[in-house]
C-alpha cells in the first residue's frame, strides 16, 4: 500500500499529491552547541524519566486497551493475555537485572536519579496495583461479558454433573498419566520449580499417623490452559487436577490445595571469550537459564500463611516479591479463548494486499520483483502491504533466478517454518553464494536460531554469527545479479524481522531499491560482518555502534541551525523506545531553540515533554492497537531538503552501543512523501493516542480516529478502486 499526502484538513483522504520540491539553500557551518547551551539543558537534574517505570506505563496502556469497551470482546481478552506475557518478560529480564546489580553492590543511580533499590520498590508497588487491576477486570467485566456472549469461563463448583463426569474421564485417560507428584520430606528435598510453570501446593494428612505433609504438582503445559467442556464452556486445568488429587495421593486426606507460579531470571550471559565456540557456549547457557534465581512468586489470595511461608522460605524469595492475587493465575492462557472462531467478537478480518508496484495487472503470474525494483524504489508498509508477495517473493525469486550470483542476509528472528530459510537453502544448493548473518543471541529465540544456523550450514550456506560483543539486529538483504549492462545490486532494508508470521501482526516499513550507493553501502556492511573489513564510513546508511547516535545528534543540531536561519525546521521520530541521554539532551536543546519536535513512541520514553524552559516544543504520543507499532522513522525538515530515515535502531543504549543497527536514508522523493503522510496522520489532532505529560503520566487524548483502522480503510478503498 502506498501512503499518500495527508493534509491537516483531511488526514483520511486518498489523494495523490506529490511533494513540491523546495528551493535548494546554501549550507551554513554546522551548529555546534557551546558550553552555555549545554549547561542550560544539564541544569535540569530531573530531566529523565526512569526507563523501567516508563515501561510499566506502557504495559498499563496495554491493560487500558483490555479495559476499552469499544473494542471487540475477544480482542480485549487477547490484550489481557498480552499484558501477562509482557509482565512476565519484564520480570525475567529487567527486574532480574536490577536484583543482580543490587546483589553485586553496583548501586549506581540511573539517569532518572533513582537507585536500583528505589526503582525495584517502585516496580513492586506499581506491578502489584496493575496485577490487581487486571484481576478485577477479568473477574468483574470480562468473564460476565463473555458469558453474555455465550462463552463461559467457570470454576469447578459451577460444573453440572455431566461436565464433572467428562472432566473425570479426561483426567483418567489423558492428564493422570502425565502428572508427577513430588513430596517434600527429609528424604525428598523441595523440588525445583521451573520458571512460569503453574503449580499446585498440596497439604496432605496421613490418617494413620495424623501427620501433615507437603507435595507439589506441576500443571502440565502441554494441555489447554482452559479445558473445553463443550458449548463454549471452559474450566481452568488446575481446577480439574485439584479435584482429582486423591488419585495421585491414594490413602491420604487432601487438606489444602493452592496454585502458585514462580518467575525466574531467564536472561542470558554469554562471555565474549566463548565467541569461538558460540553455539556450544549458548547451549550451555540455555540449560543454566532453567535454574535462574526466582524474582517473583504469584499465589492465589486464598493461600494459607503456613504454605506461603514454606514457599517463601524454600524459594529464597522476599515478601516484597510475593503477589497475592485472585485466581486463576497465569492469564497467558486467555490466548486460547481469544482464538475461538467467533469472528463477530473480533476485529473485522484483514487481508494484506500486494503493493501496487509489485502487482501484475494483466497476468495472474507473480510480478518480477527485480524488474519492478529497476523501475522504481518500493517502500513497503506492513502489514498493509503483503510480506509474502514482496520481501518473501524477493528472496524466493532471487533463489530461483539463474542470473543471481549471491544472496546476503541478516536473520534476527524468523518463524518456525520459514520460507525465507527454505529459499536460502535452495539458493545454496543451486550453487549461489549465500551468506547468512544469524543472531543466535536473539532473546528467547536462541534455541530456534541455533537449529536454523545448523540447517543453513548443512545446506552449504556461509553462516556467520556476527561480531564479538555485538548483537546483529539490523534487517538487511542484498542480492547480486548479473545483468546485460553489468552487475546490479538489489537491496532490502527494513525495520522488522524476516518473519512471515509476525509481519501480519507487526507494523513495519521496508525499502527495496537498486540505488547504487545504498547497494555499495550494504556490501561494505556485509564485509564488515563476515570478514576483517572495518570500514565504518557509509554514504546513505547510519550504522551502529559507529554512527547512529552521532549521525542523529548531528542532524538535530543541523535542524537548530536551519531554525535560527528562518528555514523549515521540524524533527519527527517514531520508535519503540527513546532512552539514550545523548539523543534526549540534543532534543531538549532543539526545543530550547524553538524547533518543533514530535515523538511517536510505542513503549519506553525517558524524555519529559512540555517542561517550561526545557521541552516546551516537544510532543510525545503513543499509539497502540490491533497491530504492534514497530517501525522506526527519523525525520528532519532540513531547511526544505527533507531527510527521512528508516531502520532497525531504537534510541536505547543497547541499540546504539551494543548492536549492529542500520538506518537508511530514503532515496526517492515519493518515498519521503509517503513517510510524511504516515506521520501527518499519526500526529493529526483527531487521531486517538496517548499523550505523555511532563510528570511522566500518560493520558488518552480522546481522538476519534483510529490510526491503524484508517490505514486499513485506505487499503480497502484502493483495492475496491483497483
Amino acid at each position: 500500500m502506498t501512503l499518500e499526502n495527508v493534509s491537516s484538513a483531511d488526514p483520511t483522504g486518498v489523494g495523490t499529491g506529490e511533494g513540491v520540491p523546495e528551493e535548494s539553500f546554501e549550507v551554513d557551518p554546522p551548529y555546534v552547541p557551546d558550553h552555555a547551551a549545554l549547561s542550560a539543558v544539564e541544569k535540569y537534574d530531573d530531566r529523565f524519566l526512569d526507563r523501567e517505570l516508563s515501561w510499566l506505563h506502557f504495559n498499563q496502556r496495554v491493560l487500558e486497551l483490555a479495559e476499552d469497551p469499544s473494542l471487540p470482546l475477544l480482542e480485549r481478552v487477547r490484550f489481557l493475555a498480552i499484558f501477562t506475557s509482557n509482565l512476565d518478560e519484564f520480570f525475567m529480564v529487567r527486574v532480574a537485572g536490577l536484583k543482580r546489580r543490587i546483589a553485586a553492590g553496583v548501586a549506581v543511580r540511573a539517569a532518572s536519579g533513582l537507585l536500583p533499590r528505589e526503582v525495584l520498590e517502585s516496580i513492586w508497588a506499581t506491578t502489584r496495583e496493575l496485577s490487581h487491576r487486571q484481576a478485577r477486570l477479568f473477574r468483574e467485566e470480562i468473564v460476565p461479558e463473555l458469558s453474555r456472549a455465550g462463552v463461559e469461563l467457570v470454576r469447578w463448583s459451577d460444573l453440572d454433573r455431566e461436565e464433572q463426569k467428562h472432566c473425570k474421564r479426561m483426567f483418567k485417560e489423558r492428564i493422570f498419566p502425565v502428572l508427577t507428584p513430588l513430596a517434600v520430606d527429609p528424604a525428598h528435598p523441595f523440588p525445583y520449580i521451573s520458571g512460569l510453570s503453574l503449580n499446585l501446593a498440596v497439604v496432605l494428612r496421613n490418617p494413620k499417623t495424623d501427620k501433615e505433609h507437603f507435595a507439589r504438582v506441576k500443571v502440565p503445559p502441554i494441555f489447554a490452559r482452559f479445558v473445553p467442556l463443550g458449548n463454549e464452556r471452559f474450566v481452568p486445568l488446575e481446577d480439574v487436577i485439584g479435584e482429582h488429587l486423591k488419585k495421585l495421593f491414594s490413602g491420604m486426606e487432601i487438606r489444602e490445595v493452592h496454585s502458585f507460579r514462580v518467575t525466574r531470571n531467564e536472561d542470558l550471559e554469554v562471555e565474549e571469550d566463548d565467541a569461538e565456540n558460540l553455539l556450544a557456549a549458548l547451549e550451555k547457557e540455555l540449560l543454566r537459564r532453567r535454574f535462574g534465581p526466582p524474582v517473583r512468586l504469584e499465589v492465589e489470595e486464598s493461600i494459607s500463611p503456613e504454605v506461603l511461608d514454606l514457599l517463601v522460605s524454600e524459594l529464597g524469595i522476599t515478601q516484597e516479591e510475593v503477589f497475592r492475587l485472585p485466581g486463576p493465575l497465569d492469564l497467558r492462557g486467555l490466548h486460547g479463548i481469544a482464538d475461538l472462531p467467533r469472528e463477530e467478537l473480533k476485529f473485522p478480518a484483514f487481508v494484506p494486499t500486494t503493493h501496487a508496484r509489485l502487482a501484475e495487472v494483466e497476468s495472474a503470474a507473480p510480478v518480477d520483483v527485480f524488474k519492478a525494483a529497476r523501475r522504481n524504489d518500493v517502500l513497503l508498509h506492513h502489514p498493509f502491504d503483503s510480506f509474502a508477495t514482496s520481501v518473501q517473493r524477493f528472496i524466493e525469486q532471487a533463489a530461483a533466478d539463474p542470473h543471481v550470483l549471491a544472496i546476503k542476509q541478516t536473520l534476527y528472528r524468523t518463524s518456525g517454518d520459514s520460507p525465507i530459510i527454505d529459499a536460502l537453502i535452495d539458493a545454496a544448493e543451486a550453487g549461489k553464494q549465500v551468506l547468512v548473518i544469524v543472531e543466535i543471541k536473539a532473546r528467547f529465540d536462541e534455541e530456534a536460531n541455533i537449529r536454523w544456523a545448523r540447517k543453513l550450514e548443512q545446506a552449504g550456506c556461509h553462516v556467520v554469527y556476527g561480531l564479538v560483543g555485538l548483537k546483529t539486529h539490523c534487517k538487511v538483504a542484498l542480492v547480486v545479479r548479473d545483468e546485460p549492462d553489468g552487475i546490479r545490486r538489489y537491496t532490502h532494508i527494513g525495520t522488522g524481522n524476516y518473519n512471515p508470521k509476525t509481519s501480519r501482526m507487526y507494523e513495519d516499513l521496508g525499502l527495496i531499491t537498486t540505488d547504487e550507493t545504498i547497494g555499495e553501502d550494504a556490501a561494505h556492511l556485509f564485509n564488515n560482518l563476515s570478514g576483517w573489513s572495518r570500514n565504518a564510513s557509509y554514504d546513505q546508511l547510519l550504522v551502529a555502534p559507529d554512527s547512529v547516535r552521532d549521525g542523529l545528534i548531528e542532524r538535530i543540531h543541523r535542524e537548530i541551525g536551519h531554525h535560527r536561519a528562518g528555514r523549515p525546521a521540524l524533527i519527527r521520530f517514531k520508535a519503540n523506545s527513546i532512552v539514550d541521554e545523548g539523543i534526549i539532551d540534543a532534543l531538549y536543546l532543539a526545543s530550547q531553540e524553538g524547533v518543533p519536535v514530535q515523538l511517536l513512541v510505542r513503549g519506553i520514553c525517558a524524555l519529559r515533554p512540555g517542561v517550561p524552559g526545557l521541552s516546551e516544543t516537544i510532543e510525545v504520543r503513543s499509539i497502540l492497537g490491533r497491530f504492534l507499532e514497530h517501525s522506526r522513522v527519523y525525520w528532519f525538515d532540513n531547511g526544505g531538503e527533507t531527510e527521512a530515515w528508516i531502520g532497525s535502531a531504537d534510541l536505547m543504549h543497547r541499540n546504539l552501543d551494543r548492536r549492529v543497527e542500520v538506518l537508511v536514508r530514503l532515496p526517492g522523493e515519493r518515498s519521503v512523501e509517503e513517510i510524511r503522510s504516515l506521520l501527518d496522520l499519526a500526529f493529526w489532532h483527531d487521531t486517538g493516542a496517548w499523550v505523555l505529560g511532563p510528570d511522566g503520566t500518560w493520558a488518552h487524548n480522546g481522538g476519534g480516529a483510529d490510526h491503524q483502522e484508517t490505514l486499513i480503510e485506505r487499503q480497502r478503498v484502493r483495492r475496491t478502486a483497483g
Side-chain angles (χ1 to χ4, degrees):
M1 154 180 177
T2 302
L3 297 168
E4 306 293 353
N5 254 355
V6 174
S7 70
S8 59
D10 180 23
T12 62
V14 193
T16 58
E18 291 287 332
V20 179
E22 303 282 350
E23 294 183 2
S24 61
F25 52 82
E26 294 294 327
V27 179
D28 294 331
Y31 169 76
V32 179
D34 56 23
H35 179 73
L38 293 173
S39 297
V41 170
E42 293 169 352
K43 72 177 183 180
Y44 292 85
D45 295 333
D46 61 346
R47 64 189 184 277
F48 301 115
L49 298 170
D50 187 80
R51 62 152 291 163
E52 315 300 353
L53 302 181
S54 180
W55 185 93
L56 287 176
H57 291 145
F58 152 69
N59 210 30
Q60 177 179 323
R61 298 196 292 278
V62 175
L63 184 58
E64 287 174 10
L65 288 173
E67 293 171 334
D68 186 349
S70 71
L71 294 183
L73 181 56
L74 288 185
E75 304 298 345
R76 297 175 66 190
V77 170
R78 191 177 302 283
F79 283 122
L80 273 180
I82 292 171
F83 173 87
T84 301
S85 300
N86 285 349
L87 201 55
D88 288 346
E89 183 170 338
F90 178 73
F91 270 86
M92 287 189 292
V93 178
R94 301 304 308 178
V95 174
L98 281 170
K99 287 191 67 177
R100 202 160 52 232
R101 288 166 58 191
I102 293 170
V106 187
V108 178
R109 290 188 184 274
S112 62
L114 298 176
L115 288 168
R117 183 71 192 184
E118 294 171 325
V119 175
L120 200 53
E121 289 171 352
S122 294
I123 287 172
W124 287 329
T126 304
T127 52
R128 188 166 280 107
E129 177 189 343
L130 290 176
S131 296
H132 280 279
R133 181 170 160 184
Q134 179 199 29
R136 285 195 303 272
L137 173 65
F138 175 70
R139 288 189 306 165
E140 298 174 11
E141 289 189 40
I142 298 300
V143 169
E145 289 192 34
L146 284 170
S147 181
R148 287 191 287 273
V151 179
E152 296 183 277
L153 303 185
V154 297
R155 302 308 295 259
W156 182 264
S157 59
D158 301 314
L159 270 56
D160 61 32
R161 209 164 167 184
E162 285 304 312
E163 289 172 332
Q164 290 182 358
K165 286 182 180 179
H166 166 75
C167 289
K168 183 177 181 179
R169 286 193 303 270
M170 187 184 71
F171 179 85
K172 179 181 179 181
E173 296 171 3
R174 294 183 55 78
I175 301 174
F176 178 74
V178 177
L179 297 178
T180 303
L182 296 175
V184 176
D185 60 28
H188 300 86
F190 193 86
Y192 174 77
I193 310 297
S194 54
L196 300 188
S197 63
L198 188 62
N199 304 271
L200 296 180
V202 185
V203 178
L204 310 158
R205 188 184 74 86
N206 187 329
K208 293 182 178 180
T209 65
D210 202 35
K211 287 186 177 181
E212 287 194 343
H213 302 274
F214 178 86
R216 171 259 191 162
V217 178
K218 180 177 179 178
V219 177
I222 58 174
F223 298 115
R225 176 71 180 81
F226 293 93
V227 177
L229 302 169
N231 298 320
E232 295 189 334
R233 276 170 63 87
F234 301 86
V235 64
L237 178 58
E238 65 268 27
D239 281 19
V240 177
I241 297 173
E243 286 297 320
H244 296 88
L245 287 175
K246 288 185 178 180
K247 297 287 185 182
L248 281 178
F249 302 101
S250 180
M252 302 289 281
E253 178 188 343
I254 310 297
R255 299 293 298 270
E256 297 180 41
V257 182
H258 309 285
S259 63
F260 70 96
R261 184 171 180 256
V262 176
T263 309
R264 293 186 176 275
N265 175 359
E266 297 203 14
D267 204 8
L268 294 180
E269 298 178 63
V270 180
E271 297 297 328
E272 291 185 16
D273 292 343
D274 293 322
E276 289 187 6
N277 196 9
L278 190 55
L279 282 178
L282 190 56
E283 287 175 318
K284 181 179 179 181
E285 187 69 7
L286 285 168
L287 289 174
R288 185 205 63 77
R289 170 189 273 176
R290 302 176 191 173
F291 300 95
V295 293
R296 178 180 58 165
L297 171 63
E298 296 169 278
V299 298
E300 280 195 287
E301 59 187 5
S302 58
I303 193 168
S304 66
E306 295 79 12
V307 174
L308 179 57
D309 287 344
L310 175 66
L311 293 175
V312 168
S313 173
E314 293 291 346
L315 291 168
I317 207 161
T318 66
Q319 289 291 340
E320 294 97 330
E321 295 166 313
V322 176
F323 290 76
R324 300 183 68 139
L325 300 168
L329 304 178
D330 190 8
L331 294 183
R332 292 178 303 167
L334 289 175
H335 279 296
I337 304 300
D339 287 336
L340 288 172
R342 294 287 301 273
E343 302 309 313
E344 75 278 12
L345 301 179
K346 301 180 181 181
F347 287 126
F350 167 74
V351 179
T353 57
T354 300
H355 189 287
R357 294 184 181 178
L358 299 177
E360 185 61 63
V361 178
E362 299 177 357
S363 169
V367 72
D368 184 329
V369 177
F370 302 114
K371 184 185 295 184
R374 287 196 299 272
R375 287 195 296 263
N376 291 291
D377 293 335
V378 181
L379 181 64
L380 301 161
H381 193 199
H382 309 299
F384 315 101
D385 295 320
S386 167
F387 181 89
T389 60
S390 55
V391 180
Q392 181 179 320
R393 182 174 291 170
F394 172 54
I395 302 300
E396 289 174 338
Q397 288 187 349
D401 189 334
H403 299 292
V404 169
L405 305 177
I407 304 173
K408 302 182 181 185
Q409 186 169 359
T410 62
L411 284 179
Y412 190 74
R413 303 184 197 273
T414 189
S415 58
D417 54 349
S418 173
I420 299 287
I421 298 287
D422 293 339
L424 294 172
I425 290 173
D426 291 343
E429 292 177 344
K432 295 176 171 62
Q433 290 289 316
V434 178
L435 171 67
V436 189
I437 313 295
V438 178
E439 182 46 75
I440 58 173
K441 300 188 296 296
R443 182 177 287 149
F444 303 125
D445 274 339
E446 298 93 348
E447 291 179 279
N449 285 7
I450 288 172
R451 289 196 302 271
W452 286 126
R454 288 187 166 142
K455 186 174 180 180
L456 289 163
E457 283 181 323
Q458 291 165 3
C461 299
H462 301 295
V463 178
V464 177
Y465 304 121
L467 303 176
V468 173
L470 299 174
K471 279 188 180 181
T472 304
H473 187 250
C474 53
K475 329 295 182 184
V476 184
L478 178 66
V479 173
V480 181
R481 194 168 186 266
D482 190 5
E483 299 183 353
D485 54 350
I487 298 293
R488 190 189 302 269
R489 296 186 181 100
Y490 295 79
T491 309
H492 172 266
I493 299 179
T495 67
N497 297 306
Y498 291 103
N499 189 323
K501 291 185 177 178
T502 58
S503 70
R504 296 193 288 269
M505 299 177 285
Y506 286 21
E507 178 272 340
D508 272 304
L509 293 161
L511 173 72
I512 298 177
T513 183
T514 59
D515 183 279
E516 292 182 7
T517 305
I518 293 175
E520 188 170 349
D521 280 352
H524 287 316
L525 173 69
F526 280 106
N527 289 342
N528 287 343
L529 292 173
S530 66
W532 290 110
S533 175
R534 289 295 175 264
N535 175 20
S537 176
Y538 301 91
D539 292 318
Q540 291 289 91
L541 303 183
L542 294 176
V543 179
D546 295 311
S547 61
V548 171
R549 178 187 285 110
D550 290 345
L552 292 177
I553 289 176
E554 176 187 334
R555 283 161 178 79
I556 293 170
H557 291 166
R558 188 181 62 187
E559 216 66 13
I560 294 173
H562 289 312
H563 181 75
R564 285 183 164 186
R567 292 188 290 264
L570 171 65
I571 298 169
R572 284 171 152 181
F573 288 176
K574 180 180 186 295
N576 294 288
S577 299
I578 298 181
V579 174
D580 185 77
E581 292 84 9
I583 298 282
I584 291 175
D585 276 348
L587 292 172
Y588 283 148
L589 193 60
S591 180
Q592 288 181 327
E593 292 282 345
V595 178
V597 178
Q598 294 180 319
L599 305 177
L600 189 61
V601 186
R602 173 171 59 90
I604 306 169
C605 183
L607 177 148
R608 291 184 188 269
V611 176
L614 177 68
S615 55
E616 294 173 79
T617 68
I618 301 179
E619 174 188 6
V620 181
R621 286 189 173 197
S622 183
I623 291 176
L624 280 71
R626 67 185 294 180
F627 306 128
L628 185 141
E629 292 283 330
H630 192 247
S631 64
R632 293 88 165 182
V633 178
Y634 301 98
W635 171 284
F636 304 92
D637 262 15
N638 191 29
E641 294 190 356
T642 305
E643 285 187 12
W645 299 74
I646 67 168
S648 58
D650 283 310
L651 303 183
M652 304 177 72
H653 303 147
R654 70 183 188 192
N655 299 91
L656 304 181
D657 297 322
R658 302 190 298 275
R659 290 184 173 186
V660 179
E661 306 276 13
V662 169
L663 301 179
V664 60
R665 179 180 176 179
L666 296 179
E669 182 184 325
R670 184 181 179 93
S671 296
V672 172
E673 288 304 312
E674 291 174 8
I675 295 299
R676 185 196 303 274
S677 168
L678 177 65
L679 296 175
D680 282 350
L681 176 60
F683 286 102
W684 183 46
H685 67 89
D686 199 37
T687 293
W690 283 264
V691 178
L692 179 61
D695 61 352
T697 60
W698 293 82
H700 201 277
N701 64 359
D706 185 296
H707 181 68
Q708 295 178 353
E709 290 299 323
T710 300
L711 295 173
I712 289 173
E713 185 56 33
R714 288 186 184 179
Q715 182 220 49
R716 290 190 179 120
V717 169
R718 290 192 183 90
R719 185 168 54 196
T720 303

